[in-house]
Amino acid sequence: MEIEQIEILDFLKRHSPFQELPAEQIEQVAISIDVGYFKAGTHILSFNEPLDSLHLIRSGAVETFRRNGELYNRLSEGGIFGEQGLLRGGKVRFPATALEDTLIYFIPQTIFQQLFDDNDEFADYVEVGDSERRKSNKATQTSQVDLLGATVETLIQREPVCIGSEASSWQAAQLMTEQNVSSLLILHNSEHAESPRDEVLVGTLAGIVTDKDIRMRLVAENGSLETPVSDIMSTVPATIEHKQYIFEAMMLMLRHNLHHLPVVKKQRPIGVIAISDIIRFESQNSLFIVSQIFRQHTIAELQSLVPDVHACFVRMVNEDANSQMIGSAMAAIGRSFKQRLLELAEEQLGPPPVPYCFLALGSMARDEQLVFTDQDNALVLDNRFDPALHDEYFRQLAQFVSDGLAACGYTYCTGNIMATNAQWRQPLSVWQHYFRSWIEQPSPERLLQSSIFFDIDGVWGETHWAKQLRQLVSQLARQRPLFLASMTRNALTRTPPLGFFKDFVMEQDGKQNNRLGIKRRGTAPFVDLIRIHALSIGSTENSTFGRIQDLIAAGTLPKGRAEDLRDAFEVIVMTRIRHQANALRQGEAPDNNVLPEQLSDFERKHLKEAFQVLSNAQKFLKFHFKA
C-alpha cells in the first residue's frame, strides 16, 4: 500500500460508516479512492447529471441543495454525499457546492454498491442515516445557543501533536504526516525532554505551524529541509483557555481569520480546535460570511454578501442568542469588511508610504454592532508622516474604504467622523495630543463629538497603536475630575423616554412620531454612562459588558447596582435587536424607532423597568461626578 493510501486508510478508520467495516473491506476502499480538489464557491455536483462515485469530504465544507435551490444539508470533514443518487439510478439528486476550499475522496460506484450489499451497518447508515443526520443538523441549528454555552474543551478530540522549537522543518512535516494532522504546536524546548519530539505537554507554547506555513514559508521560498521549525512557525499564536466558551473561540477565530486555535490549560497546550470543529455549532453563517468576505475581489462582490449578513443576524435572534453574541458576531463581520477593503485598497494604490493603523470607533470597537449602523473610523499614521508627500495616498485609501463600507450597508457618518476627514487622519503624536487635550483641558463643547473616540479598536496595520492610546486614556482620565464632570454633563443631555407617571415619552420630530428612539434615548445614554464610570477606574475594556464587569470588580458602585445596569442594558439592547430583526423579516429597512404597541405587555413592563434603572443611574452619575 502506497503512503498516500495509508493516510487515506487512517482517515477512513476515524469516520462512519467506514470505521465499522471489516479490515479487508476498509483497505479495499482505501486503495480504490481518487482525490479531487474544489475551490470555494465552485459546483461539485449538478442536478440529474450522471453520478459514478460516493463523495467523502477529506477537508473543507460542502452545501447540498434541493432542486429548487433550498439548502438541504451542510457537511464538513468526514461527511458523505451523493449516496441518494447512487441508490436511485446513478443520477445526482442533490446538487453540491464547495462552501470553502475542499478536498474530496471519490469512492467508485462499484465499491459503494458492494459495501451496501454486503454490510448491513453500512447500508443502514447511508439509507436511513441520511434522514437522521439532517434531523441532527436541524437540531444543532435550533439548539445552537445552548451548545455555544459549552466550553472549548468539549471540542477537543485528541491530544495535541507537538514538537520542540529546535526540531527541523523536515521533522515537523514528517510528524504531521505520521499523525495525519494539518497543524503542529511548537513548544519551547524543555530540559526534561530527550529529543524535540518528546515535548508533548512538557514545554510551553512557542508557536504553531500549519500545512500553509510549510507551503508558503518553506517550499515556496526554496528553503532547506533542515530549516528550524521555529523559523516558519507563527509565533505567539492566539490561544484560548480550556474553560472559555465555544462562542468566545468562534469570535476569536472570526476576528483574526484563524483556521486553527490552540487550547491551553495553565499555559500548557491540551489540544487544537479547527473551524470544522465549530461548523456544527455555527450552522448558518458568521464564520462562513467572514471566510467569504476575504474571497471577494471587488466592492460589488462584497456588497452581494449583505443579504447573508442580514440572514445571519435574523437567525441569531430567532435562536435567542443574547446581545453579546449578536453584537460580537456583527462587529466581527464589520471588521472583516474593513480589513478586506483595506487589502483591496492597497492592491489598487500600492503599499503604504508609511505604516498606519485603521481604527474602528463606537459600536464596532465595543463589539456591540447591529445591522442598522453608520461607519465611524479614523487613521493613525506613523510619526514620519509628511502631508505633502503622503496624505494623498491615505486620502484615497480612506475614500475607497468609506465608499466600500457604504455600499455594504454601513452608511456614511453624518458627523463626518471618518478617515476621509483630514482631522481624523493624523500621526500617532497628534492623536496623543488630541486625547491629552480632551482630558486635560475639557469642556462639554469640546467633548461633544469626541466622546466616540473613547471607544477605539485597531482593525488593520499597527493595531498596537490603538492599545497605546487606550492605555494613555486609562492613565489620564481617572486623575481628571473636571474631564469626568464634562463627560457627565454631555451624557445627561439624553434621558430615557419615561414621563412623570412612568409612561413612555414618544418621539415627535415630524418624521418618526409616536415611536421610541431606542438608541438615542436608550442604548446610547447607557453606553455613555458606563463609559464614564469605566474611565474613572482606569478600565481599558472596550465593551459595555466588559466595563460593567470591571465596575463589579472595583466595587465603586452601590452593592447590586452594576448587576442591575447589566441586566437593564441587556433588556434595552435586545428590544432594539428584535425590532431590527422583525423589520428584516418583513422586507423593510431596519431602524431604531420602536412602536410600543408592537411590544407585548411583558416586554413593555420590562422595558419601562430598564429605563427606570437608567434614569436612576443618571441621577447617581450627576451626583457622583458633580456635573
Side-chain angles (χ1 to χ4, degrees), residues 312-333:
C312 173
F313 177 80
V314 172
R315 179 195 60 81
M316 295 189 78
V317 176
N318 290 343
E319 294 178 359
D320 294 327
N322 63 37
S323 69
Q324 289 175 273
M325 291 179 177
I326 295 169
S328 295
M330 292 299 106
I333 290 170

Side-chain angles (χ1 to χ4, degrees), residues 37-278:
Y37 172 76
F38 298 87
K39 296 193 69 173
T42 59
H43 294 295
I44 301 174
L45 296 175
S46 299
F47 178 71
N48 215 33
E49 71 177 355
L51 183 65
D52 59 6
S53 60
L54 178 69
H55 291 52
L56 169 64
I57 302 173
R58 175 60 180 85
S59 62
V62 171
E63 286 183 329
T64 59
F65 301 88
R66 300 183 187 277
R67 68 177 72 185
N68 63 2
E70 179 185 340
L71 179 67
Y72 176 72
N73 207 350
R74 181 174 285 124
L75 304 160
S76 58
E77 181 179 305
I80 60 171
F81 60 100
E83 71 275 28
Q84 296 298 315
L86 293 175
L87 292 172
R88 292 168 174 81
K91 296 290 184 68
V92 173
R93 290 178 54 81
F94 298 101
T97 299
L99 193 57
E100 56 187 56
D101 292 353
T102 300
L103 199 67
I104 300 289
Y105 286 162
F106 301 112
I107 301 171
Q109 182 178 14
T110 53
I111 299 295
F112 168 81
Q113 193 63 52
Q114 181 180 339
L115 295 174
F116 186 84
D117 292 340
D118 297 346
N119 191 291
D120 290 340
E121 289 185 0
F122 183 92
D124 288 342
Y125 185 91
V126 299
E127 195 170 44
V128 179
D130 178 69
S131 174
E132 296 305 313
R133 289 195 299 276
R134 286 190 289 111
K135 288 179 182 177
S136 175
N137 185 56
K138 183 176 180 181
T140 297
Q141 294 178 24
T142 56
S143 62
Q144 183 203 13
V145 175
D146 293 335
L147 292 169
L148 290 177
T151 57
V152 293
E153 62 185 346
T154 62
L155 293 182
I156 298 174
Q157 299 182 8
R158 60 179 295 175
E159 290 185 351
V161 181
C162 309
I163 201 166
S165 56
E166 293 180 358
S168 68
S169 296
W170 178 83
Q171 290 175 307
Q174 185 184 45
L175 181 58
M176 291 170 71
T177 301
E178 290 176 1
Q179 296 295 322
N180 194 29
V181 293
S182 58
S183 65
L184 186 66
L185 298 185
I186 313 303
L187 305 182
H188 292 293
N189 285 295
S190 167
E191 60 185 13
H192 302 295
E194 297 181 2
S195 75
R197 293 184 60 159
D198 294 331
E199 292 291 326
V200 177
L201 298 180
V202 177
T204 56
L205 189 63
I208 186 171
V209 161
T210 66
D211 288 339
K212 184 178 180 180
D213 293 326
I214 294 174
R215 184 175 72 250
M216 296 184 65
R217 298 177 181 176
L218 184 70
V219 178
E221 297 294 328
N222 199 26
S224 168
L225 293 177
E226 296 305 316
T227 299
V229 71
S230 56
D231 288 357
I232 65 168
M233 71 182 182
S234 297
T235 56
V236 195
T239 62
I240 191 163
E241 284 288 333
H242 67 116
K243 287 296 185 183
Q244 287 183 256
Y245 293 114
I246 292 171
F247 182 78
E248 295 177 277
M250 186 179 76
M251 286 300 103
L252 190 60
M253 297 173 84
L254 275 169
R255 185 165 188 173
H256 299 288
N257 197 28
L258 301 175
H259 294 275
H260 301 85
L261 184 63
V263 180
V264 296
K265 180 178 183 180
K266 296 181 179 179
Q267 299 183 329
R268 307 280 184 176
I270 63 171
V272 178
I273 59 175
I275 285 179
S276 58
D277 297 319
I278 298 182

Side-chain angles (χ1 to χ4, degrees), residues 19-31:
Q19 61 184 0
E20 292 85 7
L21 296 174
E24 64 275 10
Q25 283 189 322
I26 196 171
E27 288 179 10
Q28 182 185 17
V29 174
I31 62 176

